[in-house]
């Protein structure tokens, strides 16, 4: 720039200041007559003339000269809105070389504002020109870089904005937010003092710059206060706070400090000089940052039910005609968007201050690393408390937080600083508006999400203090607070402070145990590590037993809601447990793991049925027709990795291990029991094993019995089976009164006719166990019991039911003896012998069915031909046997066992039983070499007991031989004995061998014929 140019620019600057000085000294009449065109217009014209831009290119409509004040046509200079666009381009291009010119312009505008304020007639100044002047100042602030001596320009611009704001200019919310945002962006994020000292290098210059920055920060606070006094509504207050929110939560400590200085100045001015008025939209005001930005674009579509304005700084309003319930639902759809302030009717009638959000924001700052920031935060909280007390017409009775600033100084230890911060938190919480609990927690969550170190620790302590003091009184907000706490579990930046979230939930649970438990189940999903630790935290506390009781009730209620009558068309895949039931089961497991044995035992009558209910319903109908056998093992393919029943079984095992804590219940037994319960093929046997454990551990209570008794008549067949398995095993040693025993016996006889083969089998087993445990009661009802067991022998489609019936009859005969059975003894004996050859061809079963089924009015089920097909299966090694062969082996074993008991009880039926043995002794002799060892052993016992009925002399020799010889030797010695003492019986053996069938028409299995031929061949070789 040349010397002449500098002189011309200095002249223009002096002229601009001259015009503004004349405005300060003009009378009211002169000022009002010439301020717009002659004074402001000439100031702008001089500014443009000094920009070294050709005037024709600046504004073609402004081709006039500077005129004296008394010129009669100065109104021609009044700028129109269209004329200011090129003028703004000049201002916006102003750089550091135009600093003096810009300072002169800002000083002139400020002085003109002071002159207008002095005369007091604000309405006479053109509002369009007012807004244009403010726009010029705002853009000077936005476009000018902060660098010495440019800092003085920012200060003067803020002072000019403060001055013109006093003229009661009608700003919109958008304009206020835009203006303050630009001011904050220009001042607050600037480098720290140390960085500025290092960059400038000159200490004196840096000091001047810092002083200017401090004055600008103070002036910005006053500007906000002036804007609020000009329009004292709660909406404007919230908008101003919204502008400062991101600065107060910044990661830069110097930016937080400057924001606190601005905020302290604002609250100090509002404390005594502002009385809030209720505006039309005071019932719904956003505060937290990110809300207004979220309203723009596609995210606004998430808020169904709201009309969303597409401009900055205005909260969404509810659509006309929207019900209260729909409003709440629409609010819930905001997701992670920042919440809206839904005010109560009391709040809409009085001035509303967002105390909760501001307290949650400022509280953690009382433990900020910077000393001045801590003290400024305490000062802000003090002013906020006084504003809140004034707005609600209450007296502020507690200590003033500002009095604790000394305890936040740098000379105090960090631990004591934290204690002082907590004390301030207690003061704030005692004056806390309970309806703003959710707003407070949202602000705390933002600190967890963005901050680290000291601020997070302070936020956690403030949160704990809040829930301790206010938790009892915030019942309506508990679900919202817990939802926010759940968000903290995955959004917290520093997870080492997660224990604060757990402790807060625990305190709420102490006040509202049922509600808190229900909300955690719904909200805290999936069950990650933090959620599991939360349940353990609840379990360790004194309310742990109450939480466990609530969980057990919840699990039972979920099961009752999903329990429906089983349908034959329903498949196993249809029985999937609900996510809620899985969540409750995992929660129970975690709570039980930290509970005492006595507490878990007290809740066993509700925990055990609830878990078994979920397992049973998830198994589907497959369990209703799964054949049961004590020889059946659990194959590896039955334990699928995706087994949906496993969580319930594992939880059940944890409950059981906590209740017993005995050495005899080893982990391997627990694993085996869990595997049996979760498989539809072995669930009933697993339930019997579980009942044995409960009986041995003395955990059977009357409440538990009553719970399972209710399942006997429930619509679900799965639950009936589980209950039947429980009582079938319990009848071995029933802790039940005689009257209840009779009632249960009647239930057993009814269930023996159930459509489910497994339930029929359990019913028959229960009757057999009841004979030995309560013989007197069974003796009174022996006729219906015997009749049911005899009918079960005709269930040839289900060999397991037949085998179980024979085992039960064996106990019945052993206890009651033949004298108490009458003619039933003979019928049982005739039926039993027909099962000795359960591995022969199907023709023998057909003839047996015709003789003992249809002939006696007992109709075999339609599925019995399937059993005949199973009889033709080849013999497999023991480690590869399929279920059908195992069932038939068990069937033969049960038949020989029952026949042995009949033989030992046949003293008064000797003649009849001797005739029966005359028909069966060949089968008994052959099965001494049965492929299954257990069957052969039982046959050997039966043969020795039947020997006295064979009509032989020297019977004792045969009995003695059966005790000391093996099967092969015993068969040979019996044939030798027959050759010497009963040759006719030996001839019968030769005849049977030639025919390949017994005398009653039953065909022998091929292996049996081979055994018989081998016996006779050996006999011939010996001779």
């Amino acid at each position: 720039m040349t010397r002449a140019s500098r002189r011309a620019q200095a002249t223009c600057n002096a002229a601009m200041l001259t015009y503004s000085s004349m405005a300060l000294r003009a009378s009211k009449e002169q000022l009002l007559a010439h301020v717009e065109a002659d004074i402001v217009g000439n100031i702008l014209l001089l500014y443009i003339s000094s920009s070294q831009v050709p005037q024709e290119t600046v504004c073609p409509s402004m081709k006039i000269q500077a005129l004296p004040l008394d010129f009669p046509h100065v109104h021609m200079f009044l700028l129109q809105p269209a004329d200011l666009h090129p003028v703004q381009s000049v201002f916006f291009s102003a750089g550091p070389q135009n600093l003096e010119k810009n300072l002169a312009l800002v000083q002139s505008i400020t002085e003109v504002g002071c002159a207008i304020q002095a005369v007091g007639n604000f309405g006479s100044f053109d509002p369009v020109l007012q807004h244009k002047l403010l726009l010029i100042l705002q853009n000077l602030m936005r476009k000018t870089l902060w660098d010495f001596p440019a800092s003085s320009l920012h200060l003067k611009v803020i002072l000019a904005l403060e001055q013109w704001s006093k003229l009661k200019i009608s700003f919109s919310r958008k304009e206020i937010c835009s203006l303050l945002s630009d001011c904050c962006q220009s001042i607050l994020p600037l480098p720290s003092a140390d960085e500025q000292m290092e960059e400038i290098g000159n200490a004196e210059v840096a000091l001047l710059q810092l002083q200017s920055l401090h004055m600008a920060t103070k002036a910005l606070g006053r500007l906000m206060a002036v804007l609020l006094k000009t329009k004292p509504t709660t909406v404007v207050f919230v908008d101003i706070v919204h502008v400062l929110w991101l600065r107060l939560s910044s990661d830069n400590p110097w930016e937080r400090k400057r924001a606190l200085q601005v905020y302290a100045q604002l609250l100090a001015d509002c404390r005594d000089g502002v009385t809030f008025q209720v505006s039309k939209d005071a019932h719904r005001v956003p505060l937290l940052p990110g809300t207004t930005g979220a309203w723009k674009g596609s995210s606004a579509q998430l808020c169904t039910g709201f009309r969303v304005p597409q401009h900055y700084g205005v909260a969404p309003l509810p659509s006309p005609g929207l019900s209260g319930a729909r409003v709440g639902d629409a609010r819930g759809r905001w997701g992670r968007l920042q919440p809206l302030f839904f005010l109560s009717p009391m709040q809409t009638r009085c001035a509303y201050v967002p105390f909760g959000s501001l307290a949650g924001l400022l509280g953690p700052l009382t433990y900020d690393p910077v000393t001045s920031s801590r003290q400024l935060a305490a000062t802000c909280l003090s002013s906020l408390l006084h504003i809140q007390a004034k707005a609600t017409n209450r007296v502020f009775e507690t200590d003033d937080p500002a009095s604790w600033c000394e305890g936040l100084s740098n000379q105090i230890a960090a631990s004591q600083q934290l204690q002082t911060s907590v004390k301030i938190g207690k003061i704030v919480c005692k004056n806390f508006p309970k309806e703003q609990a959710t707003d407070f927690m949202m602000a705390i969550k933002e600190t967890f999400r963005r901050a680290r170190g000291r601020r997070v620790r302070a936020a956690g302590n403030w949160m704990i203090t809040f829930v301790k003091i206010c938790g009892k009184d915030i019942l309506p907000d508990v679900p919202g607070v817990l939802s926010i706490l759940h968000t903290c579990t995955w959004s917290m930046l520093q997870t080492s402070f997660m224990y604060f979230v757990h402790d807060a939930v625990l305190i709420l649970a102490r006040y509202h145990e049922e509600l808190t438990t229900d909300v955690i189940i719904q909200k805290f999903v999936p069950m990650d590590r933090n959620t599991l630790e939360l349940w353990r935290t609840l379990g360790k506390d004194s309310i742990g037993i109450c939480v466990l009781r609530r969980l057990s009730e919840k699990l039972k209620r979920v099961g009752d809601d999903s329990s429906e009558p089983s349908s034959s068309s329903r498949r196993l895949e249809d029985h999937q447990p609900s996510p809620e039931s899985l969540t409750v089961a995992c929660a129970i497991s975690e709570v039980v793991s930290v509970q005492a044995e006595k507490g878990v035992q007290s809740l066993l009558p509700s925990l055990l049925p609830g878990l078994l209910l979920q397992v049973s319903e998830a198994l589907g109908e497959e369990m209703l027709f799964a054949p049961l056998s004590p020889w059946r093992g659990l194959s590896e393919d039955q334990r699928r990795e995706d087994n949906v029943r496993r969580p319930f079984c594992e939880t059940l095992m944890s409950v059981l291990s906590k209740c017993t804590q005995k050495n005899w219940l080893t982990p391997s037994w627990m694993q085996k029991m869990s595997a049996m319960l979760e498989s539809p093929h072995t669930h009933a046997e697993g339930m019997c094993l579980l009942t044995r454990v409960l009986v041995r551990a003395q955990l059977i209570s009357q409440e538990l019995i009553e719970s399972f008794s209710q399942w006997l008549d429930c619509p679900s067949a799965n639950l009936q089976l589980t209950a039947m398995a429980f009582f079938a095993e319990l009848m071995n040693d029933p802790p039940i009164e005689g009257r209840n025993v009779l009632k249960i016996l009647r239930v057993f006889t009814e269930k023996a006719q159930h459509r489910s083969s497994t339930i029929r089998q359990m019913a028959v087993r229960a009757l057999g166990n009841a004979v030995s445990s309560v013989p007197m009661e069974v003796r009174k009802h022996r006729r219906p019991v015997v009749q049911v067991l005899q009918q079960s022998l005709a269930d040839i489609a289900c060999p397991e039911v037949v085998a179980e019936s024979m085992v039960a009859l064996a106990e019945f005969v052993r206890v009651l003896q033949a004298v108490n059975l009458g003619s039933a003894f003979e019928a049982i004996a005739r039926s039993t012998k027909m099962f000795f050859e359960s591995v022969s061809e199907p023709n023998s079963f057909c003839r047996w069915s015709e003789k003992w089924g249809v002939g006696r009015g007992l109709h075999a089920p339609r599925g019995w031909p399937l059993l005949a097909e199973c009889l033709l299966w080849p013999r497999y090694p023991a480690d590869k046997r399929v279920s059908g062969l195992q069932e038939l082996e068990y069937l033969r074993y049960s038949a020989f066992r029952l026949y042995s008991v009949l033989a030992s009880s046949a003293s008064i039926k000797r003649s009849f039983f001797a005739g029966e043995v005359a028909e069966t002794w060949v089968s008994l002799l052959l099965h001494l070499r049965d492929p299954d060892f257990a069957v052969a052993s039982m046959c050997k016992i039966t043969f020795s007991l039947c020997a006295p009925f064979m009509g032989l002399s020297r019977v004792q020799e045969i009995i003695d031989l059966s005790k000391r010889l093996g099967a092969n030797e015993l068969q040979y010695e019996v044939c030798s004995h027959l050759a010497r003492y009963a040759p006719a019986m030996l001839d019968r053996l030769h005849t049977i061998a030639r025919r390949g069938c017994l005398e009653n028409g039953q065909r022998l299995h091929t292996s049996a014929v081979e055994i018989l031929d081998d016996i006779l061949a050996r006999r011939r070789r010996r001779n």
Side-chain angles (χ1 to χ4, degrees), residues 20 23 35 39-40 43 108-117 164:
S20 60
V35 66
I39 298 178
V40 176
I43 290 175
S108 300
I109 294 175
T110 304
E111 291 178 352
V112 171
C114 294
I116 296 175
Q117 182 184 15
W164 277 87

Side-chain angles (χ1 to χ4, degrees), residues 355-356 359 394 425-438 440-441 462-478 481 504 507-508 511-512:
F355 186 92
R394 291 187 299 180
K426 293 179 180 179
I427 296 173
V428 172
C429 291
K430 289 179 181 178
N431 297 273
F432 199 92
K434 305 303 185 296
E435 62 275 3
Q436 299 185 37
T438 305
F440 174 84
M441 294 300 298
W462 271 67
M463 179 175 65
I464 297 300
T465 303
F466 168 74
V467 294
K468 283 183 178 178
I469 296 177
C470 305
K472 188 176 181 180
D473 303 322
I474 60 171
L475 178 60
D477 292 323
V478 168
V481 171
I507 296 171
L508 287 175
Y511 291 128
H512 317 285

Side-chain angles (χ1 to χ4, degrees), residues 774-925:
V774 285
M776 299 302 297
E777 286 76 5
V778 176
R779 190 186 301 270
K780 297 177 182 178
H781 298 78
R782 61 181 179 273
R783 187 178 301 277
V785 173
V786 172
Q787 184 179 1
V788 167
L789 295 178
Q790 285 184 280
Q791 291 175 352
S792 298
L793 292 178
D795 196 358
I796 59 175
C798 301
E800 303 82 9
V801 178
V802 177
E804 202 74 54
S805 301
M806 288 189 288
V807 173
L809 284 171
E811 287 296 314
F812 208 93
V813 174
R814 183 185 65 81
V815 174
L816 299 182
Q817 298 300 316
V819 67
N820 296 315
L821 293 176
S823 60
F825 181 87
E826 301 174 1
I828 293 171
R830 295 190 184 99
S831 301
T832 304
K833 65 183 180 182
M834 305 309 298
F835 296 100
F836 290 170
E837 305 301 327
S838 297
V839 294
S840 58
E841 285 76 12
N843 291 337
S844 62
F845 257 86
C846 294
R847 287 191 292 271
W848 178 87
S849 176
E850 294 174 358
K851 182 176 181 180
W852 297 101
V854 179
R856 294 180 178 269
L858 302 177
H859 300 281
R862 292 180 298 173
W864 76 268
L866 299 176
L867 177 62
E869 295 178 5
C870 295
L871 301 179
L872 298 176
W873 289 355
R875 177 66 60 180
Y876 283 84
D879 58 341
K880 296 183 179 180
R881 291 177 184 175
V882 294
S883 60
L885 293 177
Q886 290 182 351
E887 293 155 4
L888 295 177
E889 290 161 357
Y890 183 49
L891 186 64
R892 297 198 306 275
Y893 175 88
S894 304
F896 288 130
R897 178 181 177 182
L898 174 57
Y899 212 72
S900 66
V901 175
L902 291 171
S904 63
S905 305
S907 58
I908 63 171
K909 299 280 186 177
R910 188 172 185 83
S911 59
F912 164 77
F913 200 73
E916 294 297 314
V917 172
E919 298 179 5
T920 60
W921 70 270
V922 176
S923 295
L924 295 175
L925 180 64

Side-chain angles (χ1 to χ4, degrees), residues 1004-1021:
L1004 292 176
H1005 195 272
T1006 305
S1007 59
V1009 175
E1010 293 175 356
I1011 292 173
L1012 183 57
D1013 291 340
D1014 179 65
I1015 294 173
L1016 297 176
R1018 290 181 60 188
R1019 172 62 189 167
R1020 286 193 297 268
R1021 287 195 298 269

